[in-house]
Amino acid sequence: MRLALLTVVLALPALAPAQQGNDAEKLFRAMEDRLARAKTLSLKFEIDGELGDMGKVKFDGSLVLGGGNKVRLEGTRQFFGKNDKVELVSDGTRLRATVNGEREAKLLATPKQFHGALAKALGSVGVFAGLLELAPGADRKLELSPEELFPASDFKLAPKEKVRGREAQVLTHRVKDRCKENVLVTVWIDTKTNLPLRRVVSDENRTNVRVTEYYTDFKTDEKLDAKQFELPK
């Protein structure tokens, strides 16, 4: 009997990492599912990144997903020593991206699953990495289904922390980027809303590639002003 009990006790630590990974993935999938199911999303973001040889980037702004592929992103970007006002608007069928109010910006067809793809990015890699992957003209990924984008794995929980006064469960995972390389993602998930509060995306092979994002005023399923998705005639 004592030998059997000892065997069980010794086996418990070996089971803990697997159980932790299972709990971590459940939490991640719950957050991802909430974002995917939301008919509308709106948030403000703060981005501070180091991009290796490309230098540093700061980007503060807001993102609104209005359903039916209606999208509005606007903000101020500091990159390559320049301060630019960036705006991207989709009315559901056409999309217009401008820098510093360009008058002759081209109108492009809005990708068929733009809302879903951006919602998936918010759950997995964040605003900055998501835009790099999904920006018009970036590559063929615009036409992939959201389920195929940003495959996540290797989920692990870390101790809870406070993010600007809010309690968050810390979770790490890995995602394959467009070059099929794994990037490490750490996300702080609000324990009350199950929405992300902070995220750090880093390249484990390069110490000088790291992007930190904070999210505030995160709202889902609220009625939005349709005028913000209108394009100039």
Side-chain angles (χ1 to χ4, degrees), residues 11-222:
L12 288 176
L15 295 174
Q19 183 62 49
Q20 184 202 54
N22 188 46
D23 291 343
E25 182 170 5
K26 285 181 179 179
L27 177 61
F28 176 85
R29 298 302 180 194
M31 174 187 65
E32 192 177 52
D33 186 62
R34 178 170 182 191
L35 292 169
R37 290 177 178 274
K39 294 180 180 179
T40 66
L41 288 169
S42 64
L43 67 144
K44 293 180 181 178
F45 58 83
E46 302 168 32
I47 299 173
D48 192 349
E50 295 184 21
L51 306 179
D53 295 338
M54 297 178 67
K56 296 184 178 182
V57 62
K58 289 182 68 68
F59 190 9
D60 297 339
S62 61
L63 174 64
V64 183
L65 306 184
N69 282 333
K70 294 179 180 179
V71 175
R72 183 178 187 88
L73 179 144
E74 57 185 343
T76 302
R77 181 185 64 193
Q78 299 175 29
F79 195 38
F80 287 133
K82 297 173 59 179
N83 290 339
D84 296 318
K85 183 177 180 181
V86 178
E87 184 178 88
L88 183 152
V89 180
S90 167
D91 64 3
T93 57
R94 300 173 304 159
L95 182 149
R96 184 174 185 263
T98 62
V99 178
N100 296 326
E102 296 168 272
R103 294 184 179 181
E104 303 300 325
K106 294 181 179 179
L107 286 176
L108 303 173
T110 301
K112 295 179 181 178
Q113 303 189 70
F114 203 35
H115 177 124
L118 287 172
K120 183 68 179 289
L122 282 173
S124 189
V125 294
V127 175
F128 188 78
L131 289 175
L132 286 180
E133 292 279 280
L134 303 170
D139 60 19
R140 71 281 152 207
K141 291 199 172 187
L142 282 169
E143 298 306 333
L144 292 178
S145 68
E147 292 75 18
E148 296 176 86
L149 295 169
F150 317 116
S153 62
D154 196 17
F155 304 93
K156 296 178 182 177
L157 293 176
K160 292 179 181 179
E161 296 180 5
K162 291 279 188 177
V163 177
R164 296 178 175 178
R166 299 187 68 88
E167 184 182 64
Q169 174 62 62
V170 185
L171 183 153
T172 65
H173 63 92
R174 286 179 170 78
V175 176
K176 286 190 179 298
D177 66 9
R178 68 170 66 193
C179 298
K180 304 301 182 183
E181 296 178 355
N182 281 314
V183 295
L184 179 64
V185 181
T186 304
V187 59
W188 286 254
I189 302 173
D190 192 316
T191 56
K192 292 185 177 180
T193 66
N194 210 37
L195 293 170
L197 293 169
R198 181 188 179 201
R199 180 180 281 109
V200 175
V201 180
S202 59
D203 186 331
E204 294 179 285
N205 298 319
R206 294 184 290 172
T207 57
N208 59 349
V209 177
R210 178 184 175 94
V211 176
T212 300
E213 301 186 355
Y214 286 92
Y215 313 108
T216 56
D217 296 339
F218 216 132
K219 300 174 183 177
T220 62
D221 295 316
E222 292 202 336

